[in-house]
């Protein structure tokens, strides 16, 4: 890291401890090109984090954008009445029988790359294009997952449109966010003409909790490019974690707004109680103090078994089952203010509804040939979109107890293209196929048995259940009795039945909010009004930097020995800021001080490292990787007192994003500080 003189650091030796030197490795010493070389100034070897109350920026309204894999939408509420959530206007177009308070996450750009439309408008316009003309247009759908799956995400990452052409992912996301910004502001102006133009809106963007820091930063950069906020007003944009948002919303629900999947079983809990979760917990505690027979007392008083079972710790799991991922969080409700404490780090994986779509595509490949499906998607992209729309409509009607077969329309373009490519019709292909569960109907459609449809769900549904069971097995979450099933995919009767069948037998109550597809969006609005509601989070990874310590023979490996000016140092030592799964409170700070190597130095750059383990000793250990860089931009030091210049950085790991601030100790002036996770 110190090979470039402009970004080198020099440390100060604080106190009299001989065990630790804060002098970095010199350029050219072993392993310094990619590893250590920072010299933290700390008051002690293990400084305790300090808590600092987060600063709230003034705003008049919160606008939350739930940017989903398959569908997206926005909602808002005014600061004067924060719990009165206004959903966006219903979208024109769409599919019969499907609520339109969200719109498909589909973006259409012109052949020149200019914005044309988003959502239903984009999908319908692309559908109506001539097949040859459609091949020149750039149509993007379900592109959010690309950010999750990218292992080397940068600001230059490319996304591939349906026709195979590529564009910078940052521009694609910015087009979509700009669309929502313009729609939301137009609606706000119509509802509240007196709304000030500047600093009136706090924006909230939702992301999966399992997203890593680079993906979160990417969404923030896209928001800057879209004009939601400027970099100078960064605090006006919040990143909300999707299962957290759902948790914030669910804790406000009244029991008649919930569907208890276990209520059909003997002894199931009662629904219909008109109390919020918060009030139920408060009343439960009061009654627990007054009665030894608490369970009977609670049920008789009308709280119901659903909440009476949570008296021992007020803990619950939220499973956000969306289009692209399953995202899990475990919360404990704290009293007296109803804040939330995360009990286990966010977990999950790519087990979303798109997995069912992929299974259908693989089924078509088995029938018509994988090479044909690839060719058809490339040469008839609009017709392929039509086919996925037809499947989506039938997928929504699938159920565990459905007996009737499902008919799926094949676009004429598919039938015609197959005949030209293969020299036979699709009916012949189906008859010769080894797939017996799909037939050709007399109405000219694919006729799929209900069993075949349910089989398409099984890999994804099984993955979701496995993720939930893995979390429930953790010692930190023992005793949890309640599971909220939320997200768009949670609307599926197949998923609901499978989760209840697998987890209900172990005493877990599975609950689904009535407006399950809007839970995250509404919760994001509430989170924007009071971001301090999640008071404690768990760090998903261990973060730290590389430093030098005094070399101790027998304890430190010989290959880490560095001799400089007659002193023996151990290089590449991993100094930990925060450990994986460590509880970190909102506003809690980890402080370190750094000293520029030369007078007049204008920039300090410090490599950050991370790993999943909490016992790494060196930045060269297996699993430890460089994940970002902390940069400190220094002003000229003309008025700095003589002596070494100390820059004190304060990092916060308890928010939805890792944040940093810095101050020049000698002048007490703020220093521009940032952590870049996209520069690798």
């Amino acid at each position: 890291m110190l090979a470039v003189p402009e970004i080198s650091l020099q440390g100060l030796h604080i106190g009299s401890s001989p065990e630790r030197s804060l002098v970095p490795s010199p350029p050219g010493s072993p392993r310094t090109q990619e590893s250590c070389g920072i010299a933290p100034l700390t008051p002690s070897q293990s400084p305790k984090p300090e808590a600092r109350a987060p600063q709230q920026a003034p705003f008049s309204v919160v606008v939350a954008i739930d940017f989903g894999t398959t569908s997206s939408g926005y909602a808002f509420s005014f600061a004067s009445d924060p719990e009165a959530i206004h959903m966006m206007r219903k979208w024109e177009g769409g599919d019969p029988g499907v609520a339109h308070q969200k719109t498909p996450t589909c973006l259409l750009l012109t052949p020149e790359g200019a914005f044309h439309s988003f959502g239903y408008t984009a999908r319908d316009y692309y559908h109506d294009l001539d097949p040859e003309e459609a091949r020149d247009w750039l149509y993007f759908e379900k592109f959010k997952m690309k950010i999750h799956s990218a292992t080397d995400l940068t600001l230059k990452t490319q996304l591939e449109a349906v026709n195979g052409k590529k564009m910078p992912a940052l521009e694609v996301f910015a087009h979509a966010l700009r669309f929502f910004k313009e729609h939301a502001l137009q609606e706000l102006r119509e509802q509240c003409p007196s709304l000030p133009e500047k600093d009136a809106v706090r924006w909230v963007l939702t992301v999966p909790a399992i997203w890593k820091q680079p993906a979160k930063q990417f969404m923030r950069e896209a928001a800057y490019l879209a004009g939601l906020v400027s970099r100078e007003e960064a605090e006006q944009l919040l990143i909300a974690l999707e299962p957290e948002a759902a948790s914030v919303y669910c804790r406000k629900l009244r029991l008649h707004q919930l569907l208890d999947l276990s209520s059909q079983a003997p002894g199931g809990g009662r629904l219909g109680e008109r109390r919020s979760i918060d009030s139920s917990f408060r009343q439960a505690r009061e009654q627990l103090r007054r009665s030894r027979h608490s369970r009977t007392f609670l049920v008789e008083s009308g709280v119901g078994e659903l909440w009476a079972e949570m008296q021992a710790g007020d803990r619950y799991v939220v499973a956000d089952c969306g289009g692209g991922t399953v995202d899990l969080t475990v919360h404990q409700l704290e009293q007296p203010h109803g804040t939330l404490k995360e009990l286990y780090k966010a977990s999950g994986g790519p087990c979303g509804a798109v997995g069912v779509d992929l299974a259908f595509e693989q089924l078509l490949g088995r029938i018509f040939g994988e090479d044909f499906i690839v060719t058809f998607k490339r040469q008839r992209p609009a017709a392929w979109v039509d086919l996925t729309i037809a499947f989506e409509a039938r997928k929504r009607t699938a159920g565990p107890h459905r007996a009737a077969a499902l008919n799926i329309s094949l676009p004429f373009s598919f039938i015609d293209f197959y005949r030209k490519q293969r020299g036979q019709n699709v009916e012949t292909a189906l008859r010769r196929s080894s797939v017996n569960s799909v037939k050709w109907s007399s109405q000219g459609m694919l006729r799929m048995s209900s069993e075949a449809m349910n089989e398409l769900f099984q890999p994804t549904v099984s993955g979701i259940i496995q993720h939930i069971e893995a979390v429930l097995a953790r010692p930190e979450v023992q005793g949890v009795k309640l599971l909220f099933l939320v997200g768009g995919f949670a609307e599926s009767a197949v998923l609901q039945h499978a989760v209840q069948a697998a987890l209900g037998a172990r005493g877990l109550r599975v609950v689904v909010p009535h407006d399950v597809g809007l839970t995250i969006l509404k919760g994001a609005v509430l989170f924007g009004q009071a971001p301090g509601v999640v008071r404690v989070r768990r760090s998903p990874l261990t973060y730290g930097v590389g430093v030098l310590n005094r070399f101790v023979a027998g304890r430190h490996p010989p290959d880490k020995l560095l001799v400089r000016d007659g002193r023996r140092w151990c290089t590449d030592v991993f100094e930990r800021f925060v450990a994986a799964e460590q509880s970190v409170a909102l506003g809690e700070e980890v402080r370190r001080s750094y000293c520029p190597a030369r007078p007049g130095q204008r920039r300090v750059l410090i490599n950050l490292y991370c790993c999943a383990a909490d016992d790494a000793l060196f930045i060269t250990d297996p699993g430890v990787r460089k994940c970002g860089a902390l940069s400190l931009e220094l002003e000229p030091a003309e008025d700095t007192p003589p002596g070494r210049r100390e820059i004190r950085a304060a990092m916060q790991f308890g928010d939805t994003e890792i944040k940093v601030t810095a101050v020049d100790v000698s002048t007490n002036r703020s220093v521009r500080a940032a952590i870049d996770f996209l520069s690798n």
Side-chain angles (χ1 to χ4, degrees):
M1 174 185 117
L2 297 179
V4 182
E6 287 73 22
I7 61 173
S8 63
L9 304 175
Q10 181 178 356
L12 297 181
H13 188 76
I14 300 299
S16 58
S17 171
E19 295 300 317
R20 183 173 180 220
S21 171
L22 301 174
V23 180
S25 305
S29 63
R31 305 188 190 278
T32 57
Q33 297 295 322
E34 295 293 338
S35 56
C36 70
I38 71 167
L41 293 169
T42 52
S44 66
Q45 291 194 25
S46 301
K48 294 183 178 180
E50 299 184 26
R52 183 168 64 97
Q55 299 296 316
Q56 297 291 336
F59 58 92
S60 302
V61 61
V62 167
V63 179
I65 300 175
D66 181 14
F67 196 94
T69 300
T70 55
S71 60
S72 301
Y74 70 85
F76 59 91
S77 72
F78 294 96
S80 57
D81 191 6
E83 295 194 9
I85 300 174
H86 304 263
M87 297 301 300
M88 65 183 182
R89 297 192 187 101
K90 292 187 178 182
W91 301 95
E92 297 180 0
D95 307 314
V98 179
H100 298 157
Q101 288 186 307
K102 282 190 175 183
T103 193
T105 309
C106 304
L107 173 69
L108 181 63
L109 305 180
T110 67
E112 295 75 30
F115 176 83
H116 181 273
S117 51
F118 187 89
Y120 284 116
T121 304
R123 195 190 72 177
D124 295 344
Y125 189 92
Y126 190 64
H127 165 274
D128 292 335
L129 285 173
D130 177 81
E132 291 300 323
E133 186 181 3
R135 293 169 64 177
D136 295 327
W137 288 65
L138 288 84
Y139 182 79
F140 297 89
E141 62 176 358
K142 302 173 184 174
F143 50 89
K144 179 182 174 183
M145 278 296 291
K146 299 296 191 299
I147 302 304
H148 171 73
S149 58
T151 57
D152 54 350
L153 181 65
T154 71
L155 295 178
K156 297 181 180 180
T157 295
Q158 299 273 308
L159 284 182
E160 187 174 303
V162 172
N163 63 359
K165 295 183 179 179
K166 293 184 178 181
M167 274 199 68
L170 193 68
E171 293 184 21
V172 174
F173 277 80
H175 278 307
L177 294 177
R178 191 178 299 112
F179 167 82
F180 282 112
K181 170 199 169 186
E182 293 172 354
H183 265 257
L185 292 181
Q186 178 64 27
E187 186 169 351
L188 286 172
R189 282 191 289 265
E190 294 175 0
Q191 289 204 24
C192 187
S194 61
L195 194 70
E197 288 290 327
K198 184 174 176 58
D199 299 333
V201 179
R202 166 178 278 175
W203 297 91
V204 181
L205 288 181
T206 65
V207 303
I210 59 174
W211 271 19
K212 295 180 173 60
Q213 294 299 326
K216 296 176 185 178
Q217 182 184 339
F218 182 92
M219 289 299 292
R220 178 170 285 277
E221 294 291 339
Y224 292 152
L225 184 60
L228 268 67
V229 299
S230 66
R231 295 183 187 276
E232 291 71 30
E233 301 169 333
E235 71 281 354
Q236 292 294 93
L237 171 66
L238 299 180
I239 299 295
L241 309 182
E242 290 166 358
E244 278 192 3
S247 179
V248 170
Y249 179 66
C250 287
R251 86 194 223 290
K252 290 290 185 182
L253 289 177
R254 302 178 185 275
L255 297 185
H256 73 279
Q257 298 172 300
L258 301 168
L259 172 64
D260 184 358
L261 297 184
S262 54
S263 63
Q264 298 177 355
R270 292 159 47 186
L271 295 177
E273 309 299 339
R274 296 179 179 271
R275 291 181 175 87
S276 70
I277 293 174
D278 283 351
S279 64
S280 297
F281 283 141
R282 285 194 294 270
Q283 183 173 352
R285 281 191 176 81
E286 182 64 25
Q287 292 167 346
L288 278 169
R289 286 194 293 269
R290 296 178 181 179
S291 173
R292 292 181 180 272
H293 306 289
S294 57
R295 184 173 180 80
T296 302
F297 189 87
L298 284 169
V299 173
E300 289 178 351
S301 69
V303 173
E305 290 184 352
L306 183 63
W307 308 118
E309 289 181 358
M310 295 188 64
Q311 59 191 326
D314 307 346
R315 298 188 258 178
Y316 55 91
V317 178
V318 176
D320 170 24
C321 306
T325 58
V326 58
D327 222 8
L328 305 174
T329 192
V330 186
H331 278 162
Q332 179 176 8
L333 188 69
E334 299 180 312
Q335 294 297 330
H337 304 297
T339 52
L340 299 174
K341 177 181 180 180
E342 189 175 46
L343 299 180
Y344 180 63
K345 65 179 182 179
S347 60
C351 299
V354 295
V356 183
D357 303 337
L358 179 60
F360 176 64
E361 181 179 337
Q362 292 169 344
L363 179 65
L364 292 178
R366 289 168 56 195
I367 297 172
F368 302 105
E370 294 180 4
D371 58 334
F372 169 77
I373 297 300
V374 170
T375 303
F376 178 74
K377 288 173 63 177
R378 184 176 65 250
Q379 297 193 21
R380 295 291 185 270
W384 173 254
V385 171
D386 290 347
L387 179 53
T388 60
I389 293 171
F391 174 72
E392 177 68 24
R394 307 315 295 158
K395 183 177 73 174
R396 290 175 179 272
T397 67
H401 305 299
R402 180 187 176 114
L406 301 98
N407 290 329
I408 301 173
S409 299
L410 277 182
F412 172 77
S413 179
F414 184 97
I415 298 171
D416 181 63
F417 193 75
Y418 184 80
R419 185 173 62 250
K420 292 178 179 178
Q421 290 283 316
R422 291 291 199 256
Q424 63 181 19
N425 56 37
V426 296
E427 183 177 1
T428 302
L430 283 163
R431 191 167 55 247
R432 295 178 177 177
S433 169
S434 60
V435 179
N436 298 321
S437 56
V438 181
K439 307 293 184 183
W440 185 247
S441 73
S442 58
Q443 294 85 12
M445 297 181 178
L446 291 180
R447 187 167 181 81
M448 178 182 295
S449 69
S450 58
E451 293 81 8
M453 175 63 83
N454 290 340
E455 285 178 7
L456 298 180
F457 281 77
Q458 291 316 303
T460 299
V461 170
S462 296
I464 291 173
I465 293 173
Q466 289 172 10
H467 279 295
I468 297 174
E469 289 178 334
V471 169
L472 293 175
R474 298 289 305 185
E476 301 95 324
V477 299
Q478 292 302 302
V480 169
K481 297 294 184 181
L482 184 63
L483 168 68
F484 284 105
L485 204 60
V486 303
F489 194 28
E491 297 175 349
S492 167
V494 175
L495 177 61
Q496 292 180 7
H497 179 267
V499 172
Q500 171 59 31
L503 303 176
R506 59 191 295 171
L508 190 70
R509 189 67 58 85
V510 183
V511 179
V512 181
H514 284 177
D515 53 354
V516 60
L518 301 175
T519 302
I520 293 166
L521 178 54
K522 292 181 177 181
V525 176
L526 296 176
F527 176 80
Q529 294 285 1
V533 64
V534 183
R535 191 187 65 84
V536 178
R537 293 182 175 88
R538 295 282 184 130
S539 177
L541 296 170
T542 298
Y543 290 96
V545 292
V547 298
L548 296 176
N549 277 359
R550 186 72 175 266
F551 187 87
V552 178
R555 189 175 77 182
H556 293 143
D559 64 336
K560 298 295 183 184
L561 174 63
L562 173 68
V563 179
R564 182 184 181 190
D565 298 332
R567 288 188 168 187
R568 293 160 58 87
W569 303 105
C570 180
T571 187
D572 294 342
V573 175
F574 184 52
E575 183 185 60
R576 189 174 67 190
F577 289 164
V578 63
E581 300 184 30
Q582 177 182 333
S583 291
V584 189
L586 185 67
E588 190 173 295
E589 292 183 343
V590 176
R591 295 186 176 183
R592 295 290 189 276
S593 292
Y594 303 101
C595 184
R598 306 175 314 280
Q601 184 173 336
R602 300 296 300 275
R603 189 183 188 203
V604 172
L605 189 65
I606 305 159
N607 287 338
L608 295 182
Y609 297 85
C610 69
C611 62
D614 60 0
D615 58 354
L617 300 177
F618 301 97
I619 60 175
T620 54
D621 284 354
V624 180
R625 59 185 176 85
K626 179 176 176 290
C627 62
L630 166 64
S631 64
L632 305 173
E633 304 291 340
L634 309 182
E635 295 295 328
E638 288 83 1
D639 54 348
T640 300
R644 289 182 172 177
R645 188 179 186 185
E646 180 183 346
I647 308 299
R648 182 173 298 158
M651 287 159 282
Q652 297 184 34
F653 295 89
D655 213 326
T656 59
E657 302 171 272
I658 298 176
K659 298 180 178 179
V660 61
T661 57
V663 65
D664 189 328
V665 175
S666 59
T667 63
N668 204 32
R669 293 178 183 173
S670 294
V671 173
R672 183 179 297 176
I675 300 180
D676 184 5
F677 292 99
L678 292 171
S679 62
N680 289 331

